[in-house]
Structures are given as C-alpha cells and as structure tokens.
Amino acid sequence: MYVERASRLPGAVVWTNTPSRPGVGRVLPDGCMDLLWHDGRLMVAGPDTRAYLPGGVTGPWAGIRFYPGTAPALLGVPAHELRDRRVELTDLWPASQVRLLADRVNAAPDPASGLEELALRQAAGAGPPDPLLRQVVTALEAGRPVAATADELGLGARQLHRRSLSAFGYGPKTLARILRLRRALALARAGVPFAQTAAWAGYADQAHLAREVRELSGLPLGELLGRSG
C-alpha cells in the first residue's frame, strides 16, 4: 500500500510503500528525484524520462520526493548524471558517511521520518533553492511554452536548457511534456472525458494525448487508469 504526506521540507513529499507482490507499482515520470530507504539501505532515484518498472524486490520502501530541481543541490550531483537510474547513495557520497546516515535512519521511529530528518539537515547546509528553478516549473506546469518561459525569465534558450539539464535531468521541453502528462492524468482520474482532458491539458487532440501517454507510461491511457475513455 502506498501512503504519502507533505514533508516539513518545503515542496517535498514523504512516502511509504509496501507492494502487494513483486513487480507492481509502475512509477511514472514526474520531474522529481527521490531519496530512498529499503532493507536498511539508502538509495537515490534519478529523474525518469519513462515509466520505471520495479523488479522482483519485495518488502517495505520509504522515500522523500524532492520538489523538481531541488535535489541536485542537496545531493551534490547534477540531475542528468542520474537520469533514468536508481543508485546506491554510496555511489555519490563516501561509504563511511552513508553508513552513519543509514544507522540514523534505521534508528529513527520509522524510516520515512528518518529520511525526512536527513533531508532537512542536508537542506540546512545547502542554502535556499534557486528561485528561478521554481519559476521554470511553475510556468511549465501552467502550460506556458518553453520559449515564452525563457523570455519571461530573461534566459536564452541554450542557458535554460543547460540549467534544466543540471537541475531536472533533461531539457525544458522534456520537463514540459512530463508536467503536461501529470496535468492530464489528474484530470482523467477526476473523471474528465479523455477528449476534454486532452484539450484542457494542452494536447492538440485526443490522439496526441494517447501517443504521449503510451510513450511516457508504456500503457494506453484507459489501461493506465483502469477504465475506458
């Protein structure tokens, strides 16, 4: 069962998940990166460009999902280096440091709260997030075109692309596609007909929506939601 709550770290989400059987729980792209705990170990989930399908690993998981663009400053690694990857935290930080951190998380009342405390300590040492990155996310979430977003923020197209690679793991056009998918899924899950979902989310038509959903999630929209359009 999957459960989430807002974190004390602004914009972040703390979650736990105990899959009912191996391999369930398709993870869709969302523009975010996660710090993970599983079986006493600490890991990082990089930004996805396609659905991630868990393997046969069972047992409880916990994680903290960072607001898009904020994790690289906390982890000390550009997001594009972790694109479509799950890595051990020891791949990024010294093993002795990670062992101490894992011991703290494992000694916490629950792993999720332990991860949250770890993230809060990292954030306190990293300084405030770059406000421009949040403005990029806000504009693209609202459906603003990439070129218009760059102009409004006073950035050239190449500069925005470079900063997006480091912060989000991919360029602004890919981030915009992923955020548009999230808008569409929220509408469809609320019962909005697929054709209306396509129009409101910013797709050319329902066929365009269907192509994007299949490409980013690996499933047709109706199958992904467990219903027909």
Side-chain angles (χ1 to χ4, degrees), residues 27-36 44-52 65-72 75 77-87 92 163-171 174-175 178 216:
V27 180
L28 301 182
D30 57 9
C32 301
M33 295 172 61
D34 294 56
L35 180 62
L36 308 173
V44 175
D48 294 321
T49 60
R50 56 185 180 272
Y52 173 73
R65 183 178 307 114
F66 300 105
Y67 187 82
T70 60
L75 298 174
V77 60
H80 65 83
E81 293 188 9
L82 299 177
R83 183 172 53 236
D84 292 320
R85 298 176 62 199
R86 268 68 177 162
V87 302
L92 309 180
R163 294 182 71 163
S164 295
L165 282 178
S166 179
F168 309 117
Y170 27 65
T174 298
L175 178 62
I178 288 169
L216 292 173

Side-chain angles (χ1 to χ4, degrees), residues 56-69:
V57 180
T58 58
W61 290 77
I64 179 164
R65 183 178 307 114
F66 300 105
Y67 187 82

